[in-house]
């Protein structure tokens, strides 16, 4: 685990040659850089992969506030890139990581030279979802992270992936349960407060790839289709035999799509 020298230093994992184009992988909720295991084990040829732990998660320092906004997470990432002397990166965010990727693009556009949005959406929460998130945040603080894990896990992975990879559910559970309750609650409140990013879609002028698992129940393909219609020149690939975490559930198909896209932004 490396650290930057910024005020709120994020820990990160990395793979690939130092002097290469950078692929920044932003994890989902309530996960950590560990969810990018296959992409770190076999990084795309010629790419340096950097996978940070967002504030409060993995080995990064505690969130320190009741609400971690997507903007704060995006600013941490911009500081991380700056601390590493990286001017810009191709940014790949999954689910909450996608919300953060859009915030990074909005706030620090010069840092983003390509975008991969996985199993995510541009819209804000409905009032009902927002209320449920705030209730869930209170419950996590009272009962611990497992309350959120128990409600999310049954919807997270495709039955086909569960059959072909018997150890996957346990691996994902372990990553999620390691997240400290205050960070989980703060991220839930931050997601509830995030703005609608739909209006920015038409202004996105970097190459963009959208990916969604065919069986994603948490951010179903409809949200991906809205994004591909909104972002000029974006393309969408649907990963078969995968739910919300296609990079883990169908790693070969995810790799083909990601590397095909990276070849166009290199
Ligand atoms: C995630 O996987 O990051 C979350 O499910 C995102 C969300 O709850 O909106």
């Amino acid at each position: 685990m490396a650290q930057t020298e910024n005020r709120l230093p994020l820990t990160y994992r990395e793979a690939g040659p130092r002097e290469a184009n950078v692929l920044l992988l932003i994890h989902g909720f309530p996960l950590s850089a560990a969810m990018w295991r296959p992409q770190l084990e076999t990084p795309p040829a010629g790419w340096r992969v950097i996978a940070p732990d967002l504030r409060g998660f993995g080995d990064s320092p505690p969130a320190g506030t009741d609400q971690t906004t997507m903007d704060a997470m995006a600013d941490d990432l911009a500081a991380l890139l700056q601390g590493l002397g990286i001017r810009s990166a191709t940014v790949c965010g999954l689910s909450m990581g996608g919300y953060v990727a859009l915030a990074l693009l909005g706030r620090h556009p010069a840092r983003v030279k390509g975008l991969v949005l996985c199993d995510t959406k541009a819209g804000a929460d409905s009032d009902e979802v927002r209320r449920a998130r705030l209730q869930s945040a209170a419950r996590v603080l009272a009962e611990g992270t497992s309350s959120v894990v128990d409600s999310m896990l049954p919807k997270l992975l495709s039955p086909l992936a569960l059959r072909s990879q018997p150890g996957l559910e346990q691996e994902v559970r372990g990553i999620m349960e390691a997240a400290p309750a205050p960070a989980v609650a703060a991220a839930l409140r931050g997601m509830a407060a995030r703005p609608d990013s739909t209006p920015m879609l038409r202004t996105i002028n970097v190459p963009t790839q959208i990916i969604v698992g065919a069986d994603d129940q948490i951010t179903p393909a409809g949200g991906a289709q809205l994004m591909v219609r909104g972002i000029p020149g974006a393309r969408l690939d649907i990963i078969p035999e995968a739910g919300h975490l296609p990079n883990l559930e169908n790693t070969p198909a995810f790799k083909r799509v990601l590397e095909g896209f990276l070849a166009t932004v290199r």
Side-chain angles (χ1 to χ4, degrees):
M1 275 287 169
Q3 282 201 345
T4 58
E5 294 177 18
N6 293 295
R7 200 161 40 87
L8 205 158
L10 297 182
T11 53
Y12 61 94
R13 301 178 185 210
E14 73 172 310
R18 282 283 163 109
E19 304 308 322
N21 291 313
V22 173
L23 174 65
L24 181 74
L25 298 177
I26 313 176
H27 65 78
F29 166 91
L31 293 147
S32 73
M35 68 155 278
W36 298 111
R37 172 186 51 74
Q39 292 68 44
L40 288 158
E41 280 171 3
T42 317
W47 285 79
R48 177 182 182 189
V49 176
I50 298 184
D53 293 319
L54 294 170
R55 62 165 76 180
F57 294 94
D59 293 319
S60 278
T65 47
D66 289 349
Q67 176 179 293
T68 306
T69 62
M70 303 302 103
D71 287 354
M73 293 190 193
D75 289 352
D76 289 345
L77 293 175
L80 173 72
L81 293 176
Q82 166 134 6
L84 293 171
I86 296 167
R87 281 227 311 269
S88 66
T90 296
V91 175
C92 169
L94 186 140
S95 201
M96 180 180 78
Y99 311 153
V100 177
L102 288 171
L104 182 64
L105 181 64
R107 294 168 71 79
H108 306 277
R111 297 275 177 209
V112 181
K113 68 175 183 198
L115 193 59
V116 186
L117 297 170
C118 306
D119 301 82
T120 192
K121 55 183 179 281
D125 286 350
S126 64
D127 288 346
E128 189 189 342
V129 169
R130 200 171 292 129
R131 263 194 308 277
R133 283 209 206 268
L134 299 180
Q135 278 164 9
S136 176
R139 190 155 164 226
V140 165
L141 291 176
E143 297 174 17
T145 299
S146 55
S147 65
V148 116
V149 178
D150 290 342
S151 67
M152 264 185 93
L153 203 53
K155 294 180 281 183
L156 211 52
L157 304 170
S158 158
L160 296 163
L162 287 172
R163 260 205 300 282
S164 62
Q165 297 187 63
L168 185 59
E169 185 169 17
Q170 208 40 45
E171 177 183 2
V172 172
R173 176 182 282 280
I175 300 171
M176 292 168 96
E177 282 184 342
V184 174
L188 281 165
R189 294 191 182 117
M191 285 193 283
R194 77 185 192 285
D196 180 10
S197 296
T198 312
M200 82 177 279
L201 296 181
R202 66 174 187 282
T203 71
I204 295 179
N205 60 2
V206 294
T208 301
Q209 170 74 53
I210 295 165
I211 297 176
V212 66
D215 305 328
D216 190 340
Q217 295 180 51
I218 295 181
T219 46
Q225 271 145 3
L226 283 177
M227 289 192 296
V228 79
R229 283 202 289 274
I231 302 174
R235 59 168 293 164
L236 166 65
D237 281 88
I238 298 180
I239 307 290
E241 301 186 22
H244 194 55
L245 302 177
N247 69 304
L248 284 165
E249 294 172 85
N250 189 345
T251 300
F254 183 86
K255 184 176 170 69
R256 267 194 305 279
V257 171
L258 179 65
E259 295 189 0
F261 172 70
L262 293 177
T264 70
V265 291
R266 185 191 295 279

